[in-house]
Amino acid sequence: MSGIDSIEAATESLAAAIADAGRVVALTGAGVSTASGIPSFRGDGGIWEQFDQRDFHYRRFEADPEGFWRDRLDLREAFYGDGETEPNAAHRALADLERDGHLDAVITQNVDGLHRAAGSETVVELHGTNREVECVECGHRLPAEAAFDRAAEGELPPRCEGCGGVLKPAVVLFGESMPDGPTIRAHELAGRSDLFLAIGSSLQVQPAAGLPARAQRSGATLAVVNLEATPVSDRAEYDLRADVTEALPALVEAVG
Ligand SMILES: [Zn+2]
């Protein structure tokens, strides 16, 4: 971004690029959710300082689904507290961009479901969603709320009402292989994009970490919006070091 010496100028320039681009795809990470009160997993004060990761391992779920669900209730309490989490200005900005025809898809590393809650329609959830649970036997899905309510009332583990199979949060657990579908779809979207926005992600975790390079190899312009530098910030055409809840609404306003 040589020659662009302010966030405002970079925002104006990026907004023009978005307005001109044929296909725009956004990738979002934890930085988009923190403003909604979702604690981060890693680092100081992260969830994994309070909870033992091993309790939420896929092997633990298979060996002891009752204990897994009991611990999962505690984890959910720590995550969401008493109230429902709400989408923030960054989620709403991306939903607005899609509605106005300037954004084709959101690929997210987050499992909180807040993009859909904000109104985004084309959302690829790389690591699944905490808003649903699925039966390990028949694959039937239902809202997580119902399963957690039943678990809280003592149904441990909660089971599928159709086939009696154990229900599992519809997220990728530690030690569980990533589902192929979302990863393949994300690579296709990145490869077909003309402009790729990496937002609020430190770009350290695969498969998300590989998507910006995938997009650039296919000729896309790369924009990074993140408070801190990422592994691809140096080779991004736009590198906005900014709070996503401020930068994205400003960007959407500038796109017009
Ligand atoms: Zn079932």
Side-chain angles (χ1 to χ4, degrees):
M1 49 182 278
S2 57
I4 297 171
D5 56 4
S6 74
I7 290 276
E8 288 77 14
T11 298
E12 290 293 331
S13 175
L14 176 54
I18 289 172
D20 284 347
R23 297 181 65 93
V24 180
V25 171
L27 164 70
T28 66
V32 170
S33 288
T34 45
S36 288
I38 307 282
S40 63
F41 287 88
R42 298 178 184 77
D44 293 343
I47 278 286
W48 303 128
E49 285 190 343
Q50 297 174 54
F51 290 91
D52 188 339
Q53 290 189 15
R54 288 169 298 185
D55 290 341
F56 303 98
H57 203 280
Y58 189 56
R59 280 197 306 269
R60 173 41 173 0
F61 170 78
E62 290 192 307
D64 175 20
E66 180 179 343
F68 172 94
W69 268 96
R70 196 177 293 116
D71 289 336
R72 199 81 187 179
L73 282 170
D74 292 341
L75 182 74
R76 186 177 173 86
E77 181 69 21
F79 251 94
Y80 300 114
D82 299 329
E84 270 287 285
T85 51
E86 302 277 346
N88 61 51
H91 297 106
R92 289 194 295 272
L94 289 171
D96 288 349
L97 211 53
E98 182 183 11
R99 189 199 56 219
D100 295 344
H102 295 299
L103 180 66
D104 290 88
V106 175
I107 301 164
T108 187
Q109 297 174 275
N110 302 330
V111 294
D112 48 49
L114 291 176
H115 284 298
R116 289 185 199 280
S120 286
E121 290 184 3
T122 304
V123 182
V124 178
E125 293 167 314
L126 293 170
H127 301 270
T129 175
N130 258 330
R131 300 236 163 181
E132 292 182 330
V133 295
E134 71 181 351
C135 172
V136 297
E137 299 295 338
C138 73
H140 176 68
R141 284 194 171 209
L142 61 150
E145 203 60 41
F148 276 93
D149 285 350
R150 281 158 49 195
E153 286 162 12
E155 186 187 334
L156 292 168
R159 289 179 180 274
C160 176
E161 286 176 323
C163 79
V166 173
L167 297 175
K168 186 185 91 61
V171 294
V172 180
L173 301 178
F174 294 111
E176 185 178 12
S177 53
M178 299 274 301
D180 289 337
T183 297
I184 291 168
R185 179 120 192 270
H187 276 274
E188 284 171 359
L189 285 165
R192 289 205 305 262
S193 66
D194 300 308
L195 195 152
F196 191 86
L197 295 158
I199 302 164
S201 172
S202 56
L203 298 172
Q204 307 279 352
V205 179
Q206 295 292 357
L211 294 173
R214 175 76 183 83
Q216 272 192 318
R217 277 201 304 277
S218 304
T221 297
L222 175 61
V224 176
V225 184
N226 198 48
L227 268 181
E228 281 145 20
T230 73
V232 302
S233 294
D234 286 347
R235 59 173 193 266
E237 282 83 355
Y238 298 90
D239 179 20
L240 274 69
R241 308 278 171 91
D243 182 325
V244 298
T245 61
E246 292 166 10
L248 291 190
L251 189 60
V252 172
E253 196 184 333
V255 171

